[in-house]
Amino acid sequence: MTNALTHFPPTHAEARARLEQFAPSAAGQYARTRNFDYGPGQHDNVSTLSPYVKVRMLDEITVTRAVLSQHKEADAEKFIAEVFWRSYWKGWLELRPAVWTQYMNDLIRLRDDIQTQSGLRTRWEEACTGQTGIAPFDAWAQELQQTGYLHNHARMWFASIWIFTLDLPWQLGADFFLRHLLDGDAAVNTLSWRWVAGIQTQGKTYLATAENIAKFTDGRFPNVTNISDKAIPCEAPKPVAAGMLPPCDPLPLSKRYGILLHGDDIDVDRLLLRAKDPVAFAYADATAGHTTWQMAPHVGQFRASAAQGAVPADAEMQLLSTAQSIADWASQHNMEQIVAPYAPVGPMRDMLTAYRAIDGAVPLSLFRRPLDSAAWPHATKGFFPFRKHIPALIGEFVRR
Ligand SMILES: Cc1cc2nc3c(=O)[nH]c(=O)nc-3n(C[C@H](O)[C@H](O)[C@H](O)COP(=O)(O)OP(=O)(O)OC[C@H]3O[C@@H](n4cnc5c(N)ncnc54)[C@H](O)[C@@H]3O)c2cc1C
């Protein structure tokens, strides 16, 4: 087992235990201390639930319900807002898939730049291996690689130094995070990097300062002198207008269907309520689909283990990693249909789109969660207009 999986055991029991342990401090204590990054293995002031939320081992409803069973909504407002930031970013990208396509195209161009521009290649390698000479940055690069996690404030400082001090393209930083973060998510990661770079909220960048780092790292990095004091917004294509949430049209069940889980949702119980007798289970790993560089093995291992733990104990679960292997799996079991959780914009969606284009591919039914269908269409503007809908969403889905 890698170090990252020791920090984040990929089991349902671990996810539940973390939620139970954290819930009592999700109100005032969280609001007061959440911005402090106390260092590797010392993140008890935040929930560290993100890897479990990523694969929907825990969903927003379960997390919010556990917190509201102990606190008034107004008291836990800060934590609940963070949980819904994730829904907001997911919805925002879902309504603007072209932003993901553009990011993927940028990465292809940057791969060539790295091969041909030795200065860029050296700066990028030093940043990825934590050898820049900027002490906190190098420590975060190593913590990320070893544990698969970084505190939110560290992610903000890291992204800011990556872009404005090291003068590296934000897309390469987003790729570095996605290759190592256990919670790495196409929407949250891409849009957070864009936000730091001054693209998401146009013209508004995030600048890491030595004072802020010294204060919120609890004295671990008191004298950072070599970081930029300017953050000029990065150039970006024109903003994309919000479209509609794509339809999600589960077909009537045919007689022989298989259940396909993936890294955006491994909650098989929800599918088994509707599709009770699958002929086979599989897990599709699309993690390599968003990068041309080496994925940290812990990312795929965490998600596949989480899926393995979700399927019935006596069921065999096949591991698939390409669109063609999904088609082969369906044909090997004479399936007439595949049933899967909805795959939002990102590598898994790209893999399923490629699957559907294969000649003779059996129909695929994607089930979207009712909370996602209700929340995501509100992500048309900024988070603050979205936030107004949170009480109603809690009323409809959490307090039911
Ligand atoms: C540059 C950058 C990249 C990021 N990439 C990712 C990513 O790939 N995946 C990811 O899940 N988060 C990402 N985040 C958001 C945030 O840093 C993590 O969700 C958070 O640090 C996870 O730790 P936690 O579970 O202890 O959070 P807590 O503070 O305990 O929050 C509870 C839950 O709320 C959600 N959440 C918290 N903060 C945010 C936020 N700022 N945006 C969206 N959701 C949030 C997460 O699901 C989290 O588990 C990124 C932030 C930045 C600045």
Side-chain angles (χ1 to χ4, degrees), residues 214-246:
K215 176 175 173 191
F216 288 105
T217 52
D218 205 25
R220 286 184 301 133
F221 302 108
N223 296 311
V224 183
T225 50
N226 44 357
I227 58 173
S228 173
D229 58 1
K230 284 188 197 58
I232 313 286
C234 297
E235 282 181 22
K238 277 212 226 123
V240 180
M244 302 287 284
L245 192 61

Side-chain angles (χ1 to χ4, degrees), residues 52-53 56-64 83 267 270 369 371:
Y52 305 95
V53 174
R56 312 306 279 275
M57 212 180 234
L58 295 173
D59 63 9
E60 291 82 352
I61 297 177
T62 313
V63 173
T64 309
V83 171
D267 182 1
R270 207 173 57 87
R369 289 164 183 259
L371 172 60

Side-chain angles (χ1 to χ4, degrees), residues 64-85:
T64 309
R65 197 172 277 154
V67 167
L68 290 182
S69 72
Q70 308 208 17
H71 306 282
K72 292 198 186 105
E73 199 170 321
D75 295 343
E77 193 185 8
K78 192 71 214 155
F79 179 75
I80 293 171
E82 294 306 322
V83 171
F84 277 90
W85 259 106

